[in-house]
Amino acid sequence: MTGDRTAQVPQAFAGRRWLLPSAVADELDPDVERRGRPRRTARDWVVDTCCFLLALLIALAAAQTLRDDTGTPHPLAVVDQLFGVLACGAVWLRRRWPVGLAIAMIPVGFVSNTAGGAAMVAVFTLAVHRPFRYVAWIGGIQLVLAPLFYWLRPDPDLPYAGAVVFTELLILTVIGWGMFVRSKRQLMLSLRDRARRAETEAELRAEQAQRLAREAIAREMHDVLAHRLTLLSVHAGALEFRPDAPQEEVARAAGVIRESAHEALQDLREIIGVLRAGEPDDAGRPQPTLGALDALVTESREAGMKVILDNRVTDPAGVPASIGRTAYRIAQEALTNARKHAPGTEVTVTVTGTPGDGLVIAVHNPPPEGEVPHVPGSGQGLIGLTERAMLAGGRLEHGPQEGGGFRVRAWLPWG
């Protein structure tokens, strides 16, 4: 408060002015404000003890000055010191009632020189714990009352102007230091909040990446295993419905079943390896691209399908690997569906495209003749193909055609 008569004791206090900012330097606390918290932490006790000792040290220095000042009546000196003791004790309430304590210190400091240190601590606490509007009003009142205080109680060691200037500079310094501490706290809180949000966003991105990875593995598992297991189902069904088939056909079907089972197990091992070790989904054997389309058609023909391949891409190796792999999976799933739902029909696979125009792959089959044996399926294959095409930046259309049959057509970016 303006009644801080520390300016009246330059000999006893001048060398200790640096104690004010150094003792309250511990207030640089980045933690949240402790409004209403019933119990102090160990750090709070240390800081509050330092503030109390600082206020008490200033009070003792001011009391010594009062004893040496013959112009101050003894009753006034006793009242001054009594208020000083009460003000120092009130420092322990600064965290709970920072505004109330700062307001109470205005009249107390105006009549008590020894309460000056406690008044400065109260102003500092107000600047740290409350918005600027409180500091502006209370600090402004103290600045206005400073000239009146020294006019009523002149400093015996300093001229009137010097005492007023020193006190007002001290008040402004304490307010500025408290506002700096508050700003630092708010900055730390903001940085912590940003760090928490960044951590949360990183966790969400990681979860999303894991989900996308699982979906990609699920699509890969479906595309790969469905093709192999469909071969097993078709040829096992043929052996079941044609027990009197020639020995050569039985041997060929058995060979396809054995080879498909072996390939399915191999593909399953690779996918399980990805799940266990977290390896990229292209780990293991080289992944198929557009150049492997001929081998896929040959494999389907060996399994008994009638497939016509019309590949008009002059340089399949020039197609980006990701686009070629997507085209291969689309053709593989379309052939698998044709084998399940239209056995015995002639399937046409057409591939066209140039760099810049995109890659177009179309698979068409006419309606089957006669009754088609039921082959169980989840219906997720075409959904997975649509997602594959969208992830590659393309699009996929599928559905029945006029006159019967089924058609799958996909456009993928190339260039």
Side-chain angles (χ1 to χ4, degrees), residues 19 21 58 96 105 140 155 185 202 212 234 267 343 359 368 378 383 389:
L19 288 175
I58 297 176
R96 192 164 188 175
M105 286 299 162
D155 189 311
R185 285 186 176 185
L212 293 176
V234 170
D267 292 333
L359 183 69
S378 63
I383 297 177

Side-chain angles (χ1 to χ4, degrees), residues 36-391:
R37 189 169 64 186
R39 303 181 65 178
R40 289 181 173 90
T41 64
R43 181 190 178 282
D44 294 340
W45 281 105
V46 172
V47 175
D48 290 347
T49 301
C50 291
C51 291
F52 171 75
L53 293 177
L54 173 65
L56 186 61
L57 176 65
I58 297 176
L60 293 176
Q64 180 64 36
T65 303
L66 286 176
R67 285 193 293 270
D68 298 339
D69 185 8
T70 57
T72 302
H74 180 71
L76 180 59
V78 172
V79 172
D80 188 311
Q81 296 178 45
L82 177 61
F83 276 109
V85 172
L86 295 176
C88 291
V91 168
W92 292 101
L93 305 176
R94 68 188 191 92
R95 293 181 184 273
R96 192 164 188 175
W97 296 300
V99 177
L101 181 62
I103 293 175
M105 286 299 162
I106 294 177
V108 171
F110 194 76
V111 299
S112 173
N113 187 35
T114 55
M120 292 297 101
V121 172
V123 172
F124 175 80
T125 304
L126 182 70
V128 171
H129 293 279
R130 291 296 182 267
F132 176 72
R133 61 180 181 273
Y134 296 99
V135 182
W137 279 103
I138 297 175
I141 293 174
Q142 290 186 340
L143 291 174
V144 170
L145 291 179
L148 178 61
F149 176 83
Y150 285 109
W151 182 71
L152 295 175
R153 299 183 66 179
D155 189 311
D157 301 313
L158 289 177
Y160 174 79
V164 172
V165 170
F166 172 79
T167 302
E168 294 196 344
L169 286 178
L170 182 61
I171 295 173
L172 292 175
T173 300
V174 171
I175 292 175
W177 184 254
M179 294 178 63
F180 169 76
V181 173
R182 178 178 176 83
S183 299
K184 185 175 180 180
R185 285 186 176 185
Q186 291 177 338
L187 176 61
M188 294 298 295
L189 287 173
S190 175
L191 294 177
R192 287 184 178 182
D193 182 61
R194 291 182 182 180
R196 285 193 216 99
R197 284 184 295 181
E199 183 178 356
T200 302
E201 292 174 359
E203 291 177 355
L204 292 176
R205 285 194 297 267
E207 292 178 0
Q208 184 180 16
Q210 291 177 354
R211 179 178 59 82
L212 293 176
R214 287 194 296 266
E215 292 177 356
I217 292 174
R219 283 193 300 269
E220 193 72 14
M221 181 180 293
H222 178 276
D223 294 344
V224 174
L225 296 183
H227 175 70
R228 306 294 182 193
L229 298 180
T230 301
L231 289 177
L232 290 172
S233 178
V234 170
H235 286 83
L239 292 178
E240 179 183 3
F241 286 102
R242 294 188 60 189
D244 57 345
Q247 186 67 28
E248 293 79 8
E249 292 186 13
V250 173
R252 183 168 62 85
V256 173
I257 292 174
R258 180 185 58 79
E259 184 64 25
S260 297
H262 175 75
E263 293 291 336
L265 288 174
Q266 182 65 25
D267 292 333
L268 185 60
R269 289 193 192 98
E270 292 180 3
I271 294 173
I272 292 176
V274 172
L275 293 174
R276 285 178 175 174
E279 300 173 359
D281 61 356
D282 57 354
R285 294 178 299 175
Q287 296 299 303
T289 59
L290 190 62
L293 194 58
D294 292 334
L296 175 65
V297 171
T298 301
E299 182 183 25
S300 298
R301 288 170 180 168
E302 291 176 352
M305 290 187 66
K306 301 174 183 178
V307 184
I308 298 177
L309 175 61
D310 183 11
N311 191 350
R312 303 176 188 176
V313 178
T314 57
D315 184 19
V319 179
S322 59
I323 300 301
R325 179 181 180 183
T326 302
Y328 178 92
R329 294 304 186 195
I330 291 173
Q332 184 183 55
E333 178 64 21
L335 289 173
T336 299
N337 289 340
R339 185 183 302 115
K340 289 193 297 184
H341 304 295
T345 60
E346 186 176 78
V347 184
T348 303
V349 180
T350 305
V351 184
T352 60
T354 57
D357 295 331
L359 183 69
V360 178
I361 179 167
V363 181
H364 172 262
N365 63 269
E369 297 179 0
E371 185 178 355
V372 178
H374 174 70
V375 179
S378 63
Q380 299 297 314
L382 293 175
I383 297 177
L385 291 186
T386 304
E387 293 177 352
R388 275 186 178 274
M390 292 179 62
L391 290 175

